[in-house]
Amino acid sequence: MLSPDIENHQSPRIAFLALSLALLGASAMLYYHLGLFMPRVLEVSASKNLAAGYAFGNDFYPVWLTSRECVLTGRDPYSAQMTREIQKGLFGRSLNSQIPTDPLPDYRTFAYPAFTDLLFWPAGQVPFPVLRVIVLVLLVALTITSVVLWMDALSWRLSWSWLAVTVSLTLFSYPVIEGLYAGQLGLVVGFFLAAAILALQRRHLVLAGTLMALTTIKPQMTVLAVVYLLL
């Protein structure tokens, strides 16, 4: 069902006010995360001797490392040795069960299906400090595109000003900011899901099925949607 066109019911002045408030809220959330929250997190981690690794891009680091090691050398991404190497990259050392302040020794294992490494194996050829910046830019682009795809799939027609409000509120919401900072593949899955639904709506069934299959790199996010669509 088509939603009412915002442009026909709201004046440009209200749209401008909404956009201004959205940008103000976005700035406040960005400052909170980067200026207050993350410095405190790093301070606590440093007090536990766990701050010598990568914080920015930490969720993508296990994918980068296992893609680099497993695809090229055939190493098991789920092995205890690989887990220790992931921990060294993220914390500066492997975790120790004898240290009370350490998380469990199996914390930060490779938590994706093995085929994820095949999808992202080119990333393993790029130095991680450079790669995490590239990943951030790509995730921002994919998140914005996801909003546009959902608007199209739901036939929700917004003027450019109200679309900018929607994108701002989405992009600078706390979960998305956290995902962008960490290099979270859940944002990629969100893009695949939005694209799959739009493709299904337009009867591009092969494309929709392929995109839904790609969402299973994080099956906990989309298993209900997959089962529903199959039924």
Side-chain angles (χ1 to χ4, degrees):
M1 183 176 65
L2 297 180
S3 298
D5 189 339
I6 295 295
E7 192 172 14
N8 292 334
H9 295 274
Q10 304 289 351
S11 70
R13 181 176 299 178
I14 294 178
F16 176 77
L17 176 61
L19 181 58
S20 299
L21 292 175
L23 293 176
L24 179 62
S27 300
M29 183 57 71
L30 193 62
Y31 171 73
Y32 166 76
H33 187 268
L34 297 181
L36 299 176
F37 179 71
M38 285 311 303
R40 178 57 180 163
V41 169
L42 295 176
E43 180 183 339
V44 172
S45 296
S47 69
K48 299 177 181 179
N49 192 27
L50 294 173
Y54 294 110
F56 170 38
N58 59 70
D59 273 337
F60 196 76
Y61 181 81
V63 177
W64 173 82
L65 183 63
T66 55
S67 296
R68 185 183 183 92
E69 296 294 327
C70 302
V71 173
L72 297 180
T73 64
R75 296 176 62 187
D76 180 4
Y78 304 104
S79 67
Q81 181 183 5
M82 184 60 69
T83 297
R84 287 193 294 271
E85 292 187 23
I86 292 172
Q87 292 170 352
K88 289 178 181 177
L90 295 178
F91 308 119
R93 62 176 177 84
S94 58
L95 301 178
N96 188 342
S97 60
Q98 303 301 316
I99 301 177
T101 56
D102 273 11
L104 295 175
D106 60 351
Y107 181 62
R108 285 296 192 175
T109 59
F110 179 69
Y112 296 90
F115 70 84
T116 305
D117 280 340
L118 295 177
L119 294 176
F120 291 98
W121 71 265
Q125 313 309 308
V126 182
F128 189 72
V130 176
L131 178 67
R132 59 183 180 172
V133 176
I134 297 173
V135 169
L136 172 62
V137 174
L138 289 175
L139 290 181
V140 168
L142 290 179
T143 302
I144 294 173
T145 305
S146 297
V147 174
V148 175
L149 292 177
W150 279 118
M151 296 297 100
D152 196 358
L154 297 172
S155 299
W156 193 9
R157 296 183 175 85
L158 301 177
S159 66
W160 283 106
S161 56
W162 285 102
L163 180 59
V165 171
T166 304
V167 168
S168 297
L169 292 177
T170 301
L171 196 60
F172 293 96
S173 63
Y174 182 80
V176 174
I177 290 179
E178 180 69 18
L180 293 174
Y181 184 87
Q184 174 56 251
L185 288 183
L187 297 175
V188 178
V189 171
F191 166 76
F192 286 150
L193 179 61
I197 296 301
L198 183 59
L200 183 63
Q201 185 187 60
R202 296 183 176 180
R203 309 301 295 174
H204 301 306
L205 301 184
V206 174
L207 177 60
T210 302
L211 291 168
M212 285 301 294
L214 290 174
T215 69
T216 59
I217 60 175
K218 290 185 74 70
Q220 70 273 24
M221 287 184 60
T222 59
V223 61
L224 293 179
V226 171
V227 172
Y228 172 78
L229 291 174
L230 288 174
L231 290 176

